[in-house]
Amino acid sequence: KQWYQRRVRGEVVPYCDLHGHSRKMNVFMYGCENKDPSLRLQERVFPNMMGRNTSKFKYSSCRFKVQKKKEGTGRIVMWQQMGILNSFTMEATFAGFNNVHFNTRDLEDMGYHFCDTLLDYCDPDPSKVEHVLANLTRIVRAQYAARLGKSLEELVDVPLEELDFSELEGSDGGSDSSV
């Protein structure tokens, strides 16, 4: 941690480990769910923007739970110890996109789209990030309302910090490449 603090002078916007995956299809990310009420959903903005930039990335496959058995992984250490909000493991399946194997060009395209998304995320005009965050808020409220059998209008005034987002995700055990 001291080495990191001495060498990194500015903010680290994303930390991203790159892995291959054998069980899930497409490209997706594992992130870390932020419990700070003022930052709810912020960790989901970058992956959501990535999904908007390329059809090969599936936001719906992203997971943000932090499992105890994964606490030694790079993304969780960088998130917990170094305070990097956007700390991810990006997984590319060995099987490819829609059952078509990835080739080198596909993986290069993912790198391009990652960088393009980073530029969008860091744009001095915050409107792109604000739009995605507002959309994510609507989606989460709708999912939570459906899970509780309530209408969206019944939850519109409930603060985000009172909603348990982790219950909205399926558990797939996480990546087997970082065990």
Side-chain angles (χ1 to χ4, degrees), residues 54-134:
T54 177
S55 62
K56 291 178 183 162
F57 185 89
K58 297 296 179 197
Y59 176 76
S60 60
S61 295
C62 293
R63 297 292 176 258
F64 300 91
K65 288 182 183 179
V66 175
Q67 299 172 329
K68 185 107 176 113
K69 68 181 181 179
K70 300 293 182 181
E71 288 183 351
T73 62
R75 73 177 160 94
I76 296 174
V77 169
M78 296 305 277
W79 172 67
Q80 285 179 335
Q81 301 296 317
M82 307 305 175
I84 300 173
L85 176 68
N86 291 300
S87 187
F88 306 108
T89 300
M90 185 161 65
E91 302 273 355
T93 182
F94 297 131
F97 171 71
N98 291 339
N99 292 321
V100 176
H101 285 280
F102 283 131
N103 59 35
T104 303
R105 180 69 189 158
D106 293 321
L107 298 173
E108 289 172 351
D109 284 347
M110 288 309 301
Y112 169 85
H113 290 296
F114 183 90
C115 292
D116 190 44
T117 302
L118 186 56
L119 287 173
D120 288 343
Y121 187 83
C122 294
D123 192 323
D125 175 5
S127 62
K128 291 176 187 175
V129 169
E130 290 168 354
H131 173 76
V132 170
L133 190 55

Side-chain angles (χ1 to χ4, degrees), residues 164-176:
D164 184 1
F165 301 161
S166 64
E167 293 179 18
L168 299 176
E169 293 183 0
S171 178
D172 57 15
S175 168
D176 60 351

Side-chain angles (χ1 to χ4, degrees), residues 141-158:
R141 285 187 188 282
Q143 289 174 335
Y144 203 78
R147 193 180 135 280
L148 295 176
K150 296 186 175 193
S151 72
L152 185 56
E153 292 76 29
E154 291 177 87
L155 294 178
V156 77
D157 293 326
V158 177

